[in-house]
C-alpha cells in the first residue's frame, strides 16, 4: 500500500537550484471520449496506477463509463461501460493484501464495482449496498490494521438510517453494518457529496468513520458500526447507557446552543452538512488529529430555510470544539469570512462541492484550511481564523464561477507550495473552464483554458485535479476530469523536485480525507 501511495511523492531535494513555477502545458485531451462527443464528467477525481505493468503510471477516470488511459498520451486501454454516474473519486488499493491492486468505483444505482487492472470486474462485485439513491461517498480504510482494506460508502438518498455501509474485500457487508441503525440514538440523513473522513482520532489504534449528513449532526462510528460517545458535557444519551453519541449533539454556530441541545431559530444559526466533505489533520503539530468540518450555515426561522454562508468547525475526538496552541476554535470564523451563495440552482450552474483541504501553506508547522464555497471564492483560513495575504481568491469571469476542490504541491521545490484547481461557469455559457495555479499567498500565477467542449455548449472541471508523474519523465502532470472534454492532462514543467501536500481529491487514492505525506505518516495518521 505504501508503495502505491509513494507514487504521489517525488523526492524533495533542498540542495537543488530552484526554478520559478512554470505554466501548465497541455499534454493530451479528450481522453475516454468518443469520436464526436464525451460523456458528462462530474465530481470524480481521477486516479493513477500502473495499468499495463510498464513501470509508468496510467490514469483511471469515471464519468459514467470508467476508462483506463495510457499516461503518456491518453490512449484508451480499456473501458468499463455503464449508464450510472460516477460521483466519488475513484479509489485504488490492495483490498485483500495479496498484491492485487483494485480499482474501486461508486456509482448511482446505487452500486460499487471493483475492477482488476485489466478492466475485468472482480468476483463478488458489483454490489448494491443500499436500497436506493446514489453512492456519492466512497473511501478505503484498513479498519482492522491487518493490511486489508474495507470499502466504506455513503448513500445520497432521503433516508434517516442505514446510510453508511462497510463492505469487505469480497463485497460482503461487514458485521454491524449498515449504520446508523434504526434503533440507534441520534439523527442523520443522506450524504450528498464525499461526506466521509476516516482516521484514528481517539488513539485506540483503529480508525473511526466520520460521516456528516443532510442535517446539523455528524455521525461517528467505530469500525463495527457502533456509535461513538461524545464528551459528557453534552448530557446523557437517550439510550441511558452513557453520554450522548455524536449523532445526538447538534452542531451550531454558537457553542452555547451545542451545549444546550437545541437551536433557537429566531436568533441562532446552524449548519447543514449535506454537501460537506470533511478532512482529518493534526492542525497544530501536537501529534493529535482533529476533524475539519465544513458546513452550510442557514437560517432555520425561514420557510424554506435560507442558506447564508459556509464556515468551518474543528472538533476533537470527543466531539468538543478544538482549542490549543494559542488558538481557540470554540468560536468559529466570523461570518464575513465567507459570503452568501451566488447560486444553488443546478439549472443555472452546477453546485459547489464543499470539500475541505488541509495543507501548510506558509510552512510554519501549522495547517491551513482551504475550502471552495458557493460565494465563488476559494478560501484559505489560518488557525487564527482569518484569511491572510490575497486570500480568498475570487474565481474570475463573467457571470458565476466556482472552484473545484484544490490540490496543493510545492511545484518548484522552493519551500513555498502552490495551489491548483479547476473551475466552471454557468451552464451553456460557451466557456471551457480553466486550470488555475496560485501561489501560497493566494495570488494567481496562471489560468490556463481547459480544452473546448466536444459536442456540448460548455465545459469545466468540477472535480479535484490529480498530480502525478504519468509519463515517467520525473516531473508531475495535472490530470483533470472535465465536464465535456473528457480527461485532460497537463505537463507541469520544472517539477522534478516537487513535494506534494494534497495531491488528489480527498487527499489520497484511498479518498479518506487525509493527506498521505511524510508529516502525516510520521504522526501515525493513515499509515
Amino acid at each position: 500500500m505504501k508503495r502505491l501511495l509513494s507514487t504521489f511523492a517525488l523526492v524533495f531535494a533542498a540542495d537543488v537550484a530552484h526554478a520559478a513555477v512554470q505554466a501548465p502545458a497541455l499534454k493530451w485531451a479528450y481522453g475516454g471520449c468518443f469520436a464526436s462527443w464525451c460523456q458528462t464528467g462530474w465530481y470524480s477525481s481521477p486516479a493513477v496506477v500502473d495499468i499495463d505493468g510498464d513501470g509508468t503510471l496510467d490514469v483511471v477516470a469515471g464519468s459514467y463509463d470508467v476508462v483506463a488511459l495510457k499516461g503518456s498520451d491518453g490512449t484508451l486501454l480499456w473501458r468499463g461501460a455503464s449508464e450510472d454516474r460516477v460521483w466519488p473519486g475513484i479509489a485504488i488499493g490492495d483490498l485483500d493484501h495479496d498484491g492485487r491492486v483494485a480499482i474501486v468505483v461508486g456509482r448511482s444505482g446505487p452500486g460499487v464495482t471493483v475492477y482488476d487492472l485489466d478492466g475485468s470486474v472482480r468476483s463478488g462485485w458489483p454490489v448494491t449496498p443500499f436500497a436506493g439513491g446514489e453512492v456519492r461517498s466512497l473511501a478505503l480504510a484498513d479498519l482492522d490494521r491487518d493490511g486489508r482494506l474495507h470499502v466504506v460508502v455513503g448513500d445520497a438518498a432521503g433516508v434517516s438510517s442505514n446510510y453508511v455501509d462497510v463492505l469487505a474485500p469480497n463485497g460482503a457487508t461487514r458485521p454491524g453494518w449498515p449504520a446508523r441503525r434504526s434503533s440507534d440514538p441520534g439523527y442523520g440523513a443522506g450524504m450528498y457529496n464525499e461526506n466521509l473522513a476516516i482516521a484514528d482520532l481517539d488513539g485506540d489504534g483503529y480508525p473511526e468513520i466520520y460521516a456528516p449528513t443532510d442535517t446539523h449532526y455528524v455521525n461517528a462510528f467505530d469500525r463495527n458500526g457502533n456509535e461513538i460517545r461524545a464528551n459528557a458535557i453534552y448530557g446523557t444519551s437517550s439510550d441511558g447507557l452513557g453520554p450522548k453519541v455524536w449523532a445526538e449533539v447538534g452542531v451550531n454556530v454558537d457553542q452555547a446552543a451545542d451545549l444546550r441541545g437545541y437551536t433557537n431559530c429566531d436568533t441562532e444559526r446552524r449548519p447543514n452538512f449535506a454537501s460537506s466533505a470533511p478532512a482529518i489533520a493534526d492542525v497544530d503539530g501536537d501529534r493529535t488529529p482533529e476533524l475539519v468540518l465544513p458546513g452550510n450555515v442557514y437560517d432555520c426561522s425561514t420557510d424554506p430555510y435560507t442558506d447564508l454562508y459556509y464556515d468551518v468547525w474543528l472538533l476533537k475526538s470527543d466531539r468538543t470544539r478544538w482549542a490549543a496552541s494559542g488558538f481557540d476554535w470554540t468560536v468559529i470564523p466570523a461570518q464575513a469570512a465567507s459570503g452568501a451563495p451566488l447560486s444553488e440552482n443546478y439549472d443555472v450552474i452546477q453546485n459547489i462541492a464543499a470539500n475541505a483541504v488541509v495543507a501548510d501553506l506558509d510552512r510554519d508547522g501549522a495547517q491551513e484550511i482551504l475550502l471552495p464555497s458557493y460565494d465563488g471564492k476559494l478560501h484559505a483560513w489560518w488557525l487564527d481564523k482569518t484569511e491572510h495575504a490575497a486570500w480568498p481568491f475570487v474565481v474570475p469571469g463573467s457571470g458565476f464561477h466556482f472552484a473545484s476542490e484544490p490540490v496543493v504541491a510545492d511545484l518548484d521545490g522552493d519551500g513555498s507550495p502552490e495551489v491548483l484547481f479547476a473551475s466552471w461557469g454557468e451552464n451553456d455559457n460557451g466557456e471551457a473552464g480553466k486550470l488555475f495555479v496560485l501561489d501560497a499567498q493566494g495570488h494567481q500565477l496562471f489560468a490556463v483554458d481547459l480544452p473546448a467542449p466536444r459536442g456540448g455548449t460548455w465545459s469545466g472541471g468540477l472535480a479535484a485535479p490529480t498530480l502525478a508523474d504519468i509519463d515517467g519523465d520525473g516531473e508531475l502532470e495535472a490530470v483533470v476530469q472535465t465536464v465535456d472534454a473528457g480527461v485532460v492532462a497537463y505537463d507541469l514543467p520544472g517539477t522534478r523536485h516537487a513535494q506534494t501536500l494534497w495531491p488528489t481529491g480527498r487527499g489520497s487514492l484511498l479518498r479518506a480525507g487525509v493527506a498521505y505525506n511524510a508529516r502525516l505518516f510520521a504522526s501515525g495518521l493513515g499509515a
Side-chain angles (χ1 to χ4, degrees):
M1 191 69 236
K2 290 184 179 179
R3 179 182 62 82
L4 289 171
L5 297 169
S6 68
T7 60
F8 278 115
L10 297 180
V11 175
F12 175 66
D15 58 347
V16 176
H18 305 297
V21 176
Q22 300 178 50
L26 183 65
K27 185 178 187 66
W28 48 262
Y30 306 107
C33 293
F34 298 96
S36 61
W37 65 286
C38 304
Q39 291 183 337
T40 302
W42 296 96
Y43 297 87
S44 178
S45 186
V48 292
V49 65
D50 184 1
I51 290 289
D52 53 11
D54 66 353
T56 301
L57 294 175
D58 302 300
V59 175
V60 182
S63 49
Y64 291 80
D65 297 350
V66 170
V67 293
L69 307 170
K70 186 69 178 173
S72 57
D73 59 12
T75 301
L76 181 69
L77 298 175
W78 53 260
R79 179 185 299 274
S82 177
E83 297 181 355
D84 294 325
R85 171 169 68 173
V86 179
W87 180 297
I90 291 175
I92 304 290
D94 182 352
L95 299 186
D96 275 311
H97 196 48
D98 60 359
R100 293 188 306 145
V101 177
I103 299 166
V104 187
V105 180
R107 287 189 170 103
S108 58
V112 179
T113 304
V114 173
Y115 296 92
D116 283 315
L117 293 182
D118 62 1
S120 61
V121 176
R122 186 165 292 187
S123 177
W125 303 86
V127 168
T128 303
F130 306 109
E134 181 175 7
V135 174
R136 295 191 186 179
S137 300
L138 182 147
L140 307 183
D142 182 357
L143 296 181
D144 297 318
R145 296 301 196 200
D146 61 358
R148 300 168 73 246
L149 296 174
H150 283 78
V151 181
V152 185
V153 290
D155 191 15
V159 293
S160 59
S161 62
N162 298 328
Y163 35 73
V164 181
D165 205 357
V166 175
L167 307 174
N170 64 0
T173 297
R174 180 181 172 95
W177 297 89
R180 191 183 58 87
R181 307 167 194 128
S182 58
S183 58
D184 287 345
Y187 305 92
M191 302 163 65
Y192 289 88
N193 189 19
E194 298 190 72
N195 297 22
L196 288 169
I198 307 172
D200 180 11
L201 261 66
D202 61 12
D204 69 350
Y206 297 99
E208 295 82 46
I209 297 169
Y210 297 89
T213 75
D214 188 11
T215 61
H216 62 290
Y217 295 89
V218 178
N219 287 194
F221 306 103
D222 69 15
R223 59 198 172 115
N224 297 314
N226 302 307
E227 294 194 284
I228 295 172
R229 302 280 171 181
N231 192 291
I233 63 173
Y234 298 111
T236 302
S237 172
S238 62
D239 65 10
L241 300 178
K244 288 181 178 179
V245 299
W246 276 56
E248 293 179 285
V249 184
V251 179
N252 294 267
V253 168
D254 298 324
Q255 181 174 229
D258 293 5
L259 295 167
R260 184 194 314 124
Y262 61 89
T263 310
N264 288 319
C265 284
D266 288 340
T267 58
E268 296 174 327
R269 304 294 171 253
R270 67 192 186 197
N272 178 271
F273 298 125
S275 297
S276 297
I280 292 172
D282 172 10
V283 295
D284 61 342
D286 67 352
R287 303 179 67 85
T288 300
E290 291 78 35
L291 180 69
V292 180
L293 180 66
N296 182 5
V297 177
Y298 65 96
D299 183 346
C300 57
S301 71
T302 61
D303 186 15
Y305 295 155
T306 303
D307 290 339
L308 301 173
Y309 56 95
Y310 263 94
D311 217 320
V312 178
W313 287 255
L314 293 181
L315 303 180
K316 298 191 292 186
S317 63
D318 66 354
R319 168 53 186 83
T320 57
R321 300 189 183 198
W322 178 80
S325 302
F327 303 106
D328 184 358
W329 280 67
T330 60
V331 177
I332 63 175
Q335 174 181 350
S338 179
L342 300 178
S343 174
E344 295 179 282
N345 183 351
Y346 57 73
D347 289 328
V348 174
I349 183 172
Q350 297 305 304
N351 290 338
I352 195 74
N355 294 8
V357 168
V358 185
D360 184 359
L361 296 181
D362 57 11
R363 308 317 293 268
D364 66 351
Q367 305 292 300
E368 281 71 56
I369 301 165
L370 294 101
L371 185 74
S373 181
Y374 53 25
D375 62 359
K377 302 174 184 178
L378 176 60
H379 293 271
W381 283 282
W382 268 246
L383 291 185
D384 64 7
K385 297 182 291 188
T386 67
E387 299 194 72
H388 294 191
W391 297 101
F393 179 80
V394 180
V395 184
S398 176
F400 304 149
H401 288 79
F402 289 156
S404 74
E405 175 186 339
V407 292
V408 184
D410 179 2
L411 295 178
D412 57 353
D414 68 350
S416 181
E418 285 71 44
V419 177
L420 297 85
F421 66 93
S423 72
W424 70 96
E426 296 179 40
N427 300 346
D428 304 319
N429 65 355
E431 295 181 6
K434 296 180 185 294
L435 174 65
F436 285 89
V437 182
L438 311 181
D439 68 17
Q441 295 182 326
H443 301 109
Q444 178 178 308
L445 299 178
F446 303 104
V448 179
D449 287 338
L450 295 170
R454 174 177 284 181
T457 58
W458 69 284
S459 192
L462 309 182
T466 293
L467 304 179
D469 178 7
I470 58 172
D471 59 6
D473 68 350
E475 296 193 323
L476 293 176
E477 283 75 39
V479 185
V480 182
Q481 169 73 72
T482 71
V483 172
D484 197 35
V487 186
V488 179
Y490 290 86
D491 283 315
L492 298 176
T495 57
R496 184 169 299 276
H497 305 292
Q499 182 186 34
T500 56
L501 304 179
W502 189 279
T504 187
R506 312 308 302 127
S508 82
L509 293 180
L510 299 184
R511 311 300 184 186
V514 181
Y516 282 85
N517 56 40
R519 180 173 180 275
L520 288 174
F521 272 122
S523 68
L525 275 178

